[in-house]
Amino acid sequence: MTFRDGELELRKMVNKLRENEIITVTKASLPEFREYEELISKLWENRWLTNMGMYHEELKEKLKSYLEVGGVELFVNGHMALEMLIQAFELEGEVITTPFTFASTTHAIVRNGLKPVFCDIDPDDCTIDASKIESLITKDTCAILPVHVYGNICDFKTIEGIAKEHGLKLIFDAAHAFGESVGGIPVGELGDASMFSFHATKVFNTIEGGAVTWKGENRELSEKLYKLKNFGITGKESVEYVGGNAKMNEFCAAMGLCNLRHVNDWISERKAVYDRYVRNLGHVRGIRLLGRREDTVYNYAYMPVVFDGNIFKRNEIYEKLMGENIYSRKYFYPCVNAYDCYRGSYDPKETPIALELSENILTLPIYPELSAEDVDRICEIIVG
Ligand SMILES: *Cc1c(COP(=O)(O)O)cnc(C)c1O
């Protein structure tokens, strides 16, 4: 295919998308245009576009209360939030983490000069297998970085116990877990701190954006993160840290303020889509849905489905759906420890469950306005 062919192909796809003939795995949630316009029009008056402006401060307060956490610091995106959170703890050595995640989790560790050590996952819900963490602890281990993958909350009690016993920092990648809670505990209060992503494809978006949250008052962490995201500047004439630029701008914060008004409705609509999938696929032989905890309030961010590789083959289903203009995702394939950039350092066979799941899992389209008819059609194509 030449570049020109590729361009034509892409244009065709965009046209189909516009005509709603294509169903994508997700669709960015947006407020009414006039809602957003009303907020951003003020930016033409005050000309304060970034650097902790009024919308930044308002969003921070609103999120603190929505997420029911002790503190929030906003960032340009989830990845930089995680990178700077790790930097704030001034760690050295090895970080135990999961290979069944998005590139960001591991890259954030490596870009801080730390070494990821991969722990296998629990096949039931795809989160880190807490029973396998202790055997990976060495004298160099400094932290544990699990992911609430697909919004499934990790076995936090066991992991917190291990972290405490061995004096390790516990940082959660909560990019998928916006607004969730477990046994009445808000997810953003677990561990030493958590990172959320507000990327366009996530349940709650600020176009691009992210946050770090923690439990209780933590002025030290709060101030350090604030400075790190602004070049490490600590005063008019002093720069104490080698920080970067990871501030959330006012246009993104305004989008967040608008979207926060709707996010509860969107989550209920997502639940209806999720329930429809469960109704259609929950009892099909050869298909497994991931385990769900009774005590968790979910956000229905993703619709992962595991195929047995026998009656149903993941790659065949993926192609079959694509043939009908339905775009599912092999999320997460490949596992991080199989990435080209980590070749030679890791062997994905060391985490066999993650490897197997990465080859058999598919995330199906889920977003608030996906109709029951479309869900039924998607399921018929899969099963039929
Ligand atoms: C989206 C995501 C991130 C990164 O967030 P961005 O806001 O896109 O930078 C990190 N970890 C996981 C698991 C994610 O899904």
mmCIF file of all heavy atoms in Angstrom, residues 98-139:
data_model
loop_
_atom_site.group_PDB
_atom_site.id
_atom_site.type_symbol
_atom_site.label_atom_id
_atom_site.label_comp_id
_atom_site.label_asym_id
_atom_site.label_seq_id
_atom_site.Cartn_x
_atom_site.Cartn_y
_atom_site.Cartn_z
ATOM 1 N N THR A 98 2.951 -5.071 36.973
ATOM 2 C CA THR A 98 2.281 -6.046 36.122
ATOM 3 C C THR A 98 2.658 -5.846 34.650
ATOM 4 O O THR A 98 2.801 -4.694 34.216
ATOM 5 C CB THR A 98 0.744 -5.913 36.271
ATOM 6 O OG1 THR A 98 0.104 -6.660 35.229
ATOM 7 C CG2 THR A 98 0.295 -4.461 36.147
ATOM 8 N N PRO A 99 2.795 -6.936 33.903
ATOM 9 C CA PRO A 99 3.067 -6.791 32.474
ATOM 10 C C PRO A 99 1.767 -6.645 31.675
ATOM 11 O O PRO A 99 1.797 -6.384 30.484
ATOM 12 C CB PRO A 99 3.737 -8.117 32.111
ATOM 13 C CG PRO A 99 3.085 -9.108 33.035
ATOM 14 C CD PRO A 99 2.794 -8.358 34.316
ATOM 15 N N PHE A 100 0.624 -6.799 32.370
ATOM 16 C CA PHE A 100 -0.663 -6.761 31.675
ATOM 17 C C PHE A 100 -1.278 -5.372 31.872
ATOM 18 O O PHE A 100 -2.154 -5.162 32.702
ATOM 19 C CB PHE A 100 -1.591 -7.861 32.214
ATOM 20 C CG PHE A 100 -2.775 -8.096 31.330
ATOM 21 C CD1 PHE A 100 -2.642 -8.826 30.145
ATOM 22 C CD2 PHE A 100 -4.013 -7.584 31.655
ATOM 23 C CE1 PHE A 100 -3.731 -9.031 29.315
ATOM 24 C CE2 PHE A 100 -5.115 -7.787 30.827
ATOM 25 C CZ PHE A 100 -4.971 -8.510 29.657
ATOM 26 N N THR A 101 -0.749 -4.419 31.113
ATOM 27 C CA THR A 101 -1.167 -3.026 31.241
ATOM 28 C C THR A 101 -0.808 -2.266 29.983
ATOM 29 O O THR A 101 -0.256 -2.832 29.035
ATOM 30 C CB THR A 101 -0.499 -2.382 32.484
ATOM 31 O OG1 THR A 101 -0.958 -1.034 32.624
ATOM 32 C CG2 THR A 101 1.018 -2.380 32.371
ATOM 33 N N PHE A 102 -1.111 -0.979 30.002
ATOM 34 C CA PHE A 102 -0.767 -0.082 28.906
ATOM 35 C C PHE A 102 0.712 0.300 29.054
ATOM 36 O O PHE A 102 1.250 0.297 30.163
ATOM 37 C CB PHE A 102 -1.672 1.150 29.007
ATOM 38 C CG PHE A 102 -1.514 2.137 27.907
ATOM 39 C CD1 PHE A 102 -1.619 1.750 26.577
ATOM 40 C CD2 PHE A 102 -1.252 3.473 28.193
ATOM 41 C CE1 PHE A 102 -1.484 2.673 25.556
ATOM 42 C CE2 PHE A 102 -1.111 4.401 27.177
ATOM 43 C CZ PHE A 102 -1.226 4.000 25.865
ATOM 44 N N ALA A 103 1.349 0.617 27.931
ATOM 45 C CA ALA A 103 2.778 0.955 27.894
ATOM 46 C C ALA A 103 3.190 1.955 28.980
ATOM 47 O O ALA A 103 4.285 1.860 29.551
ATOM 48 C CB ALA A 103 3.125 1.529 26.525
ATOM 49 N N SER A 104 2.304 2.883 29.271
ATOM 50 C CA SER A 104 2.606 3.985 30.185
ATOM 51 C C SER A 104 3.125 3.528 31.546
ATOM 52 O O SER A 104 4.092 4.105 32.073
ATOM 53 C CB SER A 104 1.333 4.822 30.373
ATOM 54 O OG SER A 104 1.491 5.759 31.385
ATOM 55 N N THR A 105 2.493 2.512 32.136
ATOM 56 C CA THR A 105 2.847 2.084 33.493
ATOM 57 C C THR A 105 4.334 1.740 33.578
ATOM 58 O O THR A 105 5.060 2.244 34.440
ATOM 59 C CB THR A 105 2.019 0.842 33.907
ATOM 60 O OG1 THR A 105 0.683 0.991 33.447
ATOM 61 C CG2 THR A 105 2.053 0.620 35.396
ATOM 62 N N THR A 106 4.784 0.885 32.679
ATOM 63 C CA THR A 106 6.171 0.418 32.710
ATOM 64 C C THR A 106 7.139 1.516 32.277
ATOM 65 O O THR A 106 8.191 1.712 32.897
ATOM 66 C CB THR A 106 6.341 -0.800 31.778
ATOM 67 O OG1 THR A 106 5.263 -1.690 32.018
ATOM 68 C CG2 THR A 106 7.659 -1.490 32.019
ATOM 69 N N HIS A 107 6.766 2.245 31.223
ATOM 70 C CA HIS A 107 7.641 3.321 30.739
ATOM 71 C C HIS A 107 7.893 4.358 31.852
ATOM 72 O O HIS A 107 8.995 4.888 31.965
ATOM 73 C CB HIS A 107 7.006 4.034 29.538
ATOM 74 C CG HIS A 107 6.998 3.223 28.267
ATOM 75 N ND1 HIS A 107 7.619 2.000 28.139
ATOM 76 C CD2 HIS A 107 6.447 3.484 27.051
ATOM 77 C CE1 HIS A 107 7.442 1.547 26.901
ATOM 78 N NE2 HIS A 107 6.734 2.427 26.224
ATOM 79 N N ALA A 108 6.876 4.618 32.649
ATOM 80 C CA ALA A 108 7.037 5.613 33.720
ATOM 81 C C ALA A 108 8.087 5.151 34.736
ATOM 82 O O ALA A 108 8.838 5.958 35.285
ATOM 83 C CB ALA A 108 5.705 5.864 34.418
ATOM 84 N N ILE A 109 8.143 3.846 34.975
ATOM 85 C CA ILE A 109 9.148 3.281 35.886
ATOM 86 C C ILE A 109 10.535 3.432 35.268
ATOM 87 O O ILE A 109 11.469 3.964 35.877
ATOM 88 C CB ILE A 109 8.839 1.790 36.166
ATOM 89 C CG1 ILE A 109 7.492 1.641 36.895
ATOM 90 C CG2 ILE A 109 9.984 1.125 36.943
ATOM 91 C CD1 ILE A 109 6.976 0.208 36.992
ATOM 92 N N VAL A 110 10.658 2.972 34.012
ATOM 93 C CA VAL A 110 11.965 2.947 33.337
ATOM 94 C C VAL A 110 12.500 4.367 33.127
ATOM 95 O O VAL A 110 13.688 4.629 33.313
ATOM 96 C CB VAL A 110 11.857 2.191 31.993
ATOM 97 C CG1 VAL A 110 13.173 2.255 31.223
ATOM 98 C CG2 VAL A 110 11.451 0.739 32.239
ATOM 99 N N ARG A 111 11.607 5.296 32.767
ATOM 100 C CA ARG A 111 12.040 6.678 32.526
ATOM 101 C C ARG A 111 12.475 7.378 33.815
ATOM 102 O O ARG A 111 13.067 8.447 33.775
ATOM 103 C CB ARG A 111 10.949 7.459 31.796
ATOM 104 C CG ARG A 111 10.793 6.969 30.332
ATOM 105 C CD ARG A 111 9.552 7.521 29.676
ATOM 106 N NE ARG A 111 9.560 8.964 29.640
ATOM 107 C CZ ARG A 111 10.148 9.696 28.689
ATOM 108 N NH1 ARG A 111 10.752 9.104 27.683
ATOM 109 N NH2 ARG A 111 10.105 10.994 28.742
ATOM 110 N N ASN A 112 12.188 6.765 34.956
ATOM 111 C CA ASN A 112 12.687 7.283 36.231
ATOM 112 C C ASN A 112 13.986 6.585 36.647
ATOM 113 O O ASN A 112 14.423 6.711 37.793
ATOM 114 C CB ASN A 112 11.633 7.093 37.329
ATOM 115 C CG ASN A 112 10.717 8.303 37.469
ATOM 116 O OD1 ASN A 112 11.139 9.350 37.928
ATOM 117 N ND2 ASN A 112 9.471 8.151 37.054
ATOM 118 N N GLY A 113 14.558 5.805 35.727
ATOM 119 C CA GLY A 113 15.818 5.125 36.030
ATOM 120 C C GLY A 113 15.654 3.921 36.938
ATOM 121 O O GLY A 113 16.621 3.447 37.541
ATOM 122 N N LEU A 114 14.428 3.408 37.036
ATOM 123 C CA LEU A 114 14.159 2.246 37.894
ATOM 124 C C LEU A 114 13.964 1.000 37.034
ATOM 125 O O LEU A 114 13.699 1.093 35.841
ATOM 126 C CB LEU A 114 12.908 2.507 38.730
ATOM 127 C CG LEU A 114 12.998 3.733 39.640
ATOM 128 C CD1 LEU A 114 11.615 4.169 40.096
ATOM 129 C CD2 LEU A 114 13.882 3.431 40.834
ATOM 130 N N LYS A 115 14.045 -0.164 37.695
ATOM 131 C CA LYS A 115 13.931 -1.421 36.948
ATOM 132 C C LYS A 115 12.595 -2.099 37.252
ATOM 133 O O LYS A 115 12.335 -2.445 38.413
ATOM 134 C CB LYS A 115 15.080 -2.351 37.353
ATOM 135 C CG LYS A 115 15.102 -3.666 36.605
ATOM 136 C CD LYS A 115 16.320 -4.493 37.035
ATOM 137 C CE LYS A 115 16.474 -5.776 36.243
ATOM 138 N NZ LYS A 115 15.440 -6.762 36.409
ATOM 139 N N PRO A 116 11.746 -2.284 36.236
ATOM 140 C CA PRO A 116 10.501 -3.015 36.488
ATOM 141 C C PRO A 116 10.779 -4.509 36.678
ATOM 142 O O PRO A 116 11.630 -5.080 35.993
ATOM 143 C CB PRO A 116 9.679 -2.798 35.214
ATOM 144 C CG PRO A 116 10.586 -2.207 34.203
ATOM 145 C CD PRO A 116 11.889 -1.847 34.844
ATOM 146 N N VAL A 117 10.086 -5.101 37.632
ATOM 147 C CA VAL A 117 10.142 -6.549 37.832
ATOM 148 C C VAL A 117 8.706 -7.036 37.669
ATOM 149 O O VAL A 117 7.810 -6.578 38.388
ATOM 150 C CB VAL A 117 10.684 -6.894 39.243
ATOM 151 C CG1 VAL A 117 10.550 -8.386 39.529
ATOM 152 C CG2 VAL A 117 12.137 -6.458 39.364
ATOM 153 N N PHE A 118 8.482 -7.911 36.690
ATOM 154 C CA PHE A 118 7.111 -8.269 36.352
ATOM 155 C C PHE A 118 6.576 -9.432 37.168
ATOM 156 O O PHE A 118 7.209 -10.479 37.267
ATOM 157 C CB PHE A 118 6.996 -8.579 34.859
ATOM 158 C CG PHE A 118 7.237 -7.368 34.000
ATOM 159 C CD1 PHE A 118 8.419 -7.239 33.275
ATOM 160 C CD2 PHE A 118 6.313 -6.346 33.953
ATOM 161 C CE1 PHE A 118 8.651 -6.115 32.497
ATOM 162 C CE2 PHE A 118 6.534 -5.209 33.190
ATOM 163 C CZ PHE A 118 7.700 -5.098 32.451
ATOM 164 N N CYS A 119 5.401 -9.229 37.722
ATOM 165 C CA CYS A 119 4.709 -10.241 38.512
ATOM 166 C C CYS A 119 3.509 -10.708 37.692
ATOM 167 O O CYS A 119 2.841 -9.891 37.054
ATOM 168 C CB CYS A 119 4.241 -9.596 39.818
ATOM 169 S SG CYS A 119 3.330 -10.714 40.888
ATOM 170 N N ASP A 120 3.221 -11.984 37.706
ATOM 171 C CA ASP A 120 2.114 -12.496 36.899
ATOM 172 C C ASP A 120 0.771 -12.031 37.468
ATOM 173 O O ASP A 120 0.709 -11.476 38.571
ATOM 174 C CB ASP A 120 2.162 -14.027 36.801
ATOM 175 C CG ASP A 120 1.593 -14.519 35.457
ATOM 176 O OD1 ASP A 120 1.022 -13.688 34.717
ATOM 177 O OD2 ASP A 120 1.721 -15.720 35.161
ATOM 178 N N ILE A 121 -0.280 -12.269 36.693
ATOM 179 C CA ILE A 121 -1.606 -11.750 37.071
ATOM 180 C C ILE A 121 -2.559 -12.875 37.481
ATOM 181 O O ILE A 121 -2.310 -14.056 37.221
ATOM 182 C CB ILE A 121 -2.217 -10.922 35.921
ATOM 183 C CG1 ILE A 121 -2.381 -11.762 34.641
ATOM 184 C CG2 ILE A 121 -1.371 -9.692 35.660
ATOM 185 C CD1 ILE A 121 -3.163 -11.065 33.544
ATOM 186 N N ASP A 122 -3.638 -12.451 38.109
ATOM 187 C CA ASP A 122 -4.705 -13.354 38.513
ATOM 188 C C ASP A 122 -5.622 -13.564 37.292
ATOM 189 O O ASP A 122 -6.152 -12.586 36.761
ATOM 190 C CB ASP A 122 -5.469 -12.672 39.661
ATOM 191 C CG ASP A 122 -6.610 -13.517 40.183
ATOM 192 O OD1 ASP A 122 -7.085 -14.415 39.452
ATOM 193 O OD2 ASP A 122 -7.045 -13.262 41.318
ATOM 194 N N PRO A 123 -5.804 -14.817 36.856
ATOM 195 C CA PRO A 123 -6.602 -15.021 35.638
ATOM 196 C C PRO A 123 -8.060 -14.597 35.793
ATOM 197 O O PRO A 123 -8.740 -14.323 34.819
ATOM 198 C CB PRO A 123 -6.506 -16.533 35.393
ATOM 199 C CG PRO A 123 -6.085 -17.121 36.693
ATOM 200 C CD PRO A 123 -5.307 -16.068 37.417
ATOM 201 N N ASP A 124 -8.538 -14.527 37.026
ATOM 202 C CA ASP A 124 -9.952 -14.202 37.241
ATOM 203 C C ASP A 124 -10.284 -12.756 36.873
ATOM 204 O O ASP A 124 -11.296 -12.497 36.237
ATOM 205 C CB ASP A 124 -10.322 -14.470 38.709
ATOM 206 C CG ASP A 124 -11.796 -14.236 38.947
ATOM 207 O OD1 ASP A 124 -12.608 -14.853 38.214
ATOM 208 O OD2 ASP A 124 -12.150 -13.434 39.818
ATOM 209 N N ASP A 125 -9.406 -11.806 37.272
ATOM 210 C CA ASP A 125 -9.737 -10.399 36.990
ATOM 211 C C ASP A 125 -8.607 -9.618 36.324
ATOM 212 O O ASP A 125 -8.731 -8.408 36.112
ATOM 213 C CB ASP A 125 -10.189 -9.685 38.272
ATOM 214 C CG ASP A 125 -9.070 -9.569 39.298
ATOM 215 O OD1 ASP A 125 -7.953 -10.032 39.022
ATOM 216 O OD2 ASP A 125 -9.323 -9.004 40.379
ATOM 217 N N CYS A 126 -7.491 -10.301 36.012
ATOM 218 C CA CYS A 126 -6.354 -9.707 35.291
ATOM 219 C C CYS A 126 -5.527 -8.705 36.098
ATOM 220 O O CYS A 126 -4.642 -8.054 35.544
ATOM 221 C CB CYS A 126 -6.797 -9.039 33.987
ATOM 222 S SG CYS A 126 -7.359 -10.209 32.750
ATOM 223 N N THR A 127 -5.802 -8.550 37.398
ATOM 224 C CA THR A 127 -4.946 -7.670 38.212
ATOM 225 C C THR A 127 -3.739 -8.481 38.707
ATOM 226 O O THR A 127 -3.734 -9.715 38.629
ATOM 227 C CB THR A 127 -5.703 -7.105 39.434
ATOM 228 O OG1 THR A 127 -6.094 -8.196 40.272
ATOM 229 C CG2 THR A 127 -6.932 -6.313 39.005
ATOM 230 N N ILE A 128 -2.743 -7.788 39.243
ATOM 231 C CA ILE A 128 -1.526 -8.441 39.720
ATOM 232 C C ILE A 128 -1.891 -9.542 40.729
ATOM 233 O O ILE A 128 -2.806 -9.371 41.538
ATOM 234 C CB ILE A 128 -0.579 -7.381 40.340
ATOM 235 C CG1 ILE A 128 0.842 -7.893 40.466
ATOM 236 C CG2 ILE A 128 -1.097 -6.894 41.697
ATOM 237 C CD1 ILE A 128 1.866 -6.773 40.708
ATOM 238 N N ASP A 129 -1.206 -10.676 40.647
ATOM 239 C CA ASP A 129 -1.472 -11.788 41.566
ATOM 240 C C ASP A 129 -0.711 -11.529 42.872
ATOM 241 O O ASP A 129 0.497 -11.759 42.953
ATOM 242 C CB ASP A 129 -1.023 -13.105 40.918
ATOM 243 C CG ASP A 129 -1.387 -14.311 41.766
ATOM 244 O OD1 ASP A 129 -1.638 -14.140 42.988
ATOM 245 O OD2 ASP A 129 -1.410 -15.425 41.222
ATOM 246 N N ALA A 130 -1.445 -11.056 43.875
ATOM 247 C CA ALA A 130 -0.808 -10.629 45.133
ATOM 248 C C ALA A 130 -0.022 -11.763 45.787
ATOM 249 O O ALA A 130 0.969 -11.521 46.472
ATOM 250 C CB ALA A 130 -1.866 -10.086 46.087
ATOM 251 N N SER A 131 -0.422 -13.015 45.560
ATOM 252 C CA SER A 131 0.262 -14.141 46.195
ATOM 253 C C SER A 131 1.645 -14.387 45.582
ATOM 254 O O SER A 131 2.436 -15.166 46.105
ATOM 255 C CB SER A 131 -0.590 -15.407 46.088
ATOM 256 O OG SER A 131 -0.587 -15.881 44.757
ATOM 257 N N LYS A 132 1.939 -13.758 44.456
ATOM 258 C CA LYS A 132 3.243 -13.971 43.801
ATOM 259 C C LYS A 132 4.204 -12.798 44.006
ATOM 260 O O LYS A 132 5.323 -12.818 43.505
ATOM 261 C CB LYS A 132 3.036 -14.205 42.308
ATOM 262 C CG LYS A 132 2.347 -15.538 42.026
ATOM 263 C CD LYS A 132 2.208 -15.830 40.551
ATOM 264 C CE LYS A 132 1.518 -17.190 40.355
ATOM 265 N NZ LYS A 132 0.744 -17.222 39.117
ATOM 266 N N ILE A 133 3.748 -11.775 44.728
ATOM 267 C CA ILE A 133 4.598 -10.579 44.869
ATOM 268 C C ILE A 133 5.813 -10.837 45.769
ATOM 269 O O ILE A 133 6.948 -10.515 45.399
ATOM 270 C CB ILE A 133 3.777 -9.378 45.412
ATOM 271 C CG1 ILE A 133 2.753 -8.931 44.355
ATOM 272 C CG2 ILE A 133 4.697 -8.215 45.798
ATOM 273 C CD1 ILE A 133 1.832 -7.807 44.800
ATOM 274 N N GLU A 134 5.571 -11.464 46.937
ATOM 275 C CA GLU A 134 6.657 -11.594 47.924
ATOM 276 C C GLU A 134 7.881 -12.323 47.405
ATOM 277 O O GLU A 134 9.014 -11.955 47.719
ATOM 278 C CB GLU A 134 6.137 -12.234 49.213
ATOM 279 C CG GLU A 134 5.762 -11.138 50.195
ATOM 280 C CD GLU A 134 5.402 -11.626 51.577
ATOM 281 O OE1 GLU A 134 4.648 -12.624 51.663
ATOM 282 O OE2 GLU A 134 5.854 -10.991 52.548
ATOM 283 N N SER A 135 7.667 -13.330 46.555
ATOM 284 C CA SER A 135 8.801 -14.098 46.040
ATOM 285 C C SER A 135 9.670 -13.263 45.101
ATOM 286 O O SER A 135 10.785 -13.659 44.753
ATOM 287 C CB SER A 135 8.302 -15.350 45.325
ATOM 288 O OG SER A 135 7.594 -14.977 44.167
ATOM 289 N N LEU A 136 9.166 -12.102 44.663
ATOM 290 C CA LEU A 136 9.941 -11.255 43.742
ATOM 291 C C LEU A 136 10.685 -10.138 44.468
ATOM 292 O O LEU A 136 11.463 -9.394 43.872
ATOM 293 C CB LEU A 136 9.004 -10.637 42.690
ATOM 294 C CG LEU A 136 8.293 -11.633 41.767
ATOM 295 C CD1 LEU A 136 7.225 -10.932 40.940
ATOM 296 C CD2 LEU A 136 9.293 -12.334 40.844
ATOM 297 N N ILE A 137 10.452 -10.028 45.777
ATOM 298 C CA ILE A 137 11.111 -8.967 46.540
ATOM 299 C C ILE A 137 12.582 -9.308 46.759
ATOM 300 O O ILE A 137 12.918 -10.423 47.148
ATOM 301 C CB ILE A 137 10.394 -8.745 47.897
ATOM 302 C CG1 ILE A 137 8.976 -8.204 47.648
ATOM 303 C CG2 ILE A 137 11.178 -7.773 48.787
ATOM 304 C CD1 ILE A 137 8.137 -8.057 48.907
ATOM 305 N N THR A 138 13.461 -8.344 46.462
ATOM 306 C CA THR A 138 14.897 -8.502 46.706
ATOM 307 C C THR A 138 15.345 -7.330 47.584
ATOM 308 O O THR A 138 14.546 -6.466 47.916
ATOM 309 C CB THR A 138 15.714 -8.456 45.393
ATOM 310 O OG1 THR A 138 15.680 -7.103 44.901
ATOM 311 C CG2 THR A 138 15.152 -9.395 44.335
ATOM 312 N N LYS A 139 16.641 -7.273 47.859
ATOM 313 C CA LYS A 139 17.155 -6.154 48.671
ATOM 314 C C LYS A 139 17.039 -4.831 47.912
ATOM 315 O O LYS A 139 17.110 -3.755 48.508
ATOM 316 C CB LYS A 139 18.605 -6.421 49.097
ATOM 317 C CG LYS A 139 19.568 -6.540 47.930
ATOM 318 C CD LYS A 139 21.000 -6.651 48.412
ATOM 319 C CE LYS A 139 22.040 -6.745 47.313
ATOM 320 N NZ LYS A 139 21.707 -6.491 45.931
#
